[in-house]
Amino acid sequence: MATTLWRKLFRSPSPATQQNKNFVVRNKSHRATMSSRDTWYSHSKEHWTGIPSTVDGMLGGYSYLSDLDLSSSARFLAPLYRESTPYRALDCGAGIGRVTAGLLLHVAETVDMVDTCREHLDSAREFMGEDLFGRVGEQFCSGLEDFEPLPYHYDLIWIQWVIIYIADYDFIALLRRFKESLRPGGYIVIKDNVLERGSVVDPRDGSITRCGAMLKEMFRQAGLEIVRKETQKNFPGHLYPVKMYALR
């Protein structure tokens, strides 16, 4: 049975962090948009609060891509864990548990879930069913920008379609915390929309899509190396390219 933690794991940024925000995105207007921390995160939280707790809601109307997405992710993970099986995984931006149920619980023994929207987490039990939900460890209702994972705790941290909602400076800090939260042999996996160049802000949901060079620079600043990467295949051509990165 999952232990649901509705505590907000909020961190108060230090004065130094607030004064010297570290940006990788070069576009000045995009930097300005991310500069007001409260305003930036309020847009995405409002957006996701109004999204239905369904697979179609989680995927923005593209539920028919879910099986393809999950099978591609499973193939990406397979070579990383040939010699060991992860015991505990973390699903970031877990929503109703689409990735938890369709991927991570087929790889790990137990999975923790973190999401900013309580309503989606509350729907996970019904969506997943009692057997699978019984292997969910903890549910954290928190934005990733403020999430504090326990050190030396996870064998796999899965972050899919959520880094677009995190400001540069918070994303780098989050990756550093996640690095400290990995157990030996563990990986951080990021799967998200990635541009060829530049960045694009979408005011409708308070998101910023970055290019691969920017992501690699943020990985570097967090002290992480790319050990495996791959591009999602067979998605519709009108969608942004989706890439997967395994980091440690």
Side-chain angles (χ1 to χ4, degrees), residues 73-84:
S73 298
R75 286 192 296 272
F76 180 80
L77 276 182
L80 301 177
Y81 293 99
R82 279 180 181 151
E83 311 236 341
S84 63

Side-chain angles (χ1 to χ4, degrees), residues 3-231:
T3 301
T4 305
L5 302 185
W6 295 133
R7 55 191 173 94
K8 294 283 187 179
L9 304 181
F10 282 159
R11 300 164 56 252
S12 297
S14 67
T17 301
Q18 295 182 54
Q19 294 170 10
N20 302 303
K21 289 177 177 174
N22 186 9
F23 290 103
V24 173
V25 169
R26 296 180 180 179
N27 186 297
K28 290 183 179 180
S29 67
H30 294 176
R31 290 187 179 197
T33 301
M34 285 188 283
S35 291
S36 176
R37 197 172 190 267
D38 291 342
T39 302
W40 172 255
Y41 291 115
S42 68
H43 289 313
S44 60
K45 289 175 182 176
E46 288 172 6
H47 169 78
W48 282 104
T49 300
I51 295 298
S53 299
T54 62
V55 172
D56 210 45
M58 299 298 98
L59 293 180
Y62 290 92
S63 56
Y64 68 93
L65 293 177
S66 185
D67 288 346
L68 174 58
D69 165 64
L70 294 170
S71 61
S72 299
S73 298
R75 286 192 296 272
F76 180 80
L77 276 182
L80 301 177
Y81 293 99
R82 279 180 181 151
E83 311 236 341
S84 63
T85 300
Y87 174 73
R88 183 179 290 272
L90 175 67
D91 187 1
C92 299
I96 63 174
R98 182 187 72 89
V99 174
T100 297
L103 173 68
L104 298 179
L105 282 172
H106 298 281
V107 176
E109 191 65 31
T110 188
V111 178
D112 292 346
M113 303 169 66
V114 56
D115 196 271
T116 191
C117 183
R118 175 174 180 169
E119 289 78 8
H120 296 333
L121 289 172
D122 279 344
S123 300
R125 181 192 299 271
E126 181 178 357
F127 170 73
M128 296 170 62
E130 290 295 337
D131 288 345
L132 280 179
F133 189 76
R135 291 169 51 206
V136 171
E138 294 182 324
Q139 289 182 313
F140 302 98
C141 187
S142 170
L144 287 180
E145 68 276 8
D146 297 311
F147 182 61
E148 291 273 10
L150 292 173
Y152 191 66
H153 195 60
Y154 292 110
D155 303 294
L156 170 61
I157 298 173
W158 187 270
I159 314 170
Q160 181 166 353
W161 283 321
V162 69
I163 65 170
I164 58 175
Y165 300 107
I166 308 175
D168 289 9
Y169 47 89
D170 281 328
F171 183 39
I172 294 168
L174 174 69
L175 288 176
R176 290 172 179 159
R177 298 196 298 275
F178 278 163
K179 181 181 178 182
E180 296 300 316
S181 189
L182 283 181
R183 291 165 50 86
Y187 294 92
I188 299 166
V189 176
I190 291 174
K191 184 171 187 178
D192 219 308
N193 302 337
V194 180
L195 303 175
E196 290 298 320
R197 61 182 65 82
S199 56
V200 174
V201 166
D202 188 340
R204 294 172 299 177
D205 61 359
S207 66
I208 181 165
T209 304
R210 306 170 177 92
C211 67
M214 292 175 185
L215 293 181
K216 290 174 184 177
E217 174 59 19
M218 286 191 272
F219 300 160
R220 185 194 68 79
Q221 291 191 30
L224 293 164
E225 295 183 357
I226 300 172
V227 296
R228 179 171 168 77
K229 63 181 179 178
E230 190 174 298
T231 300

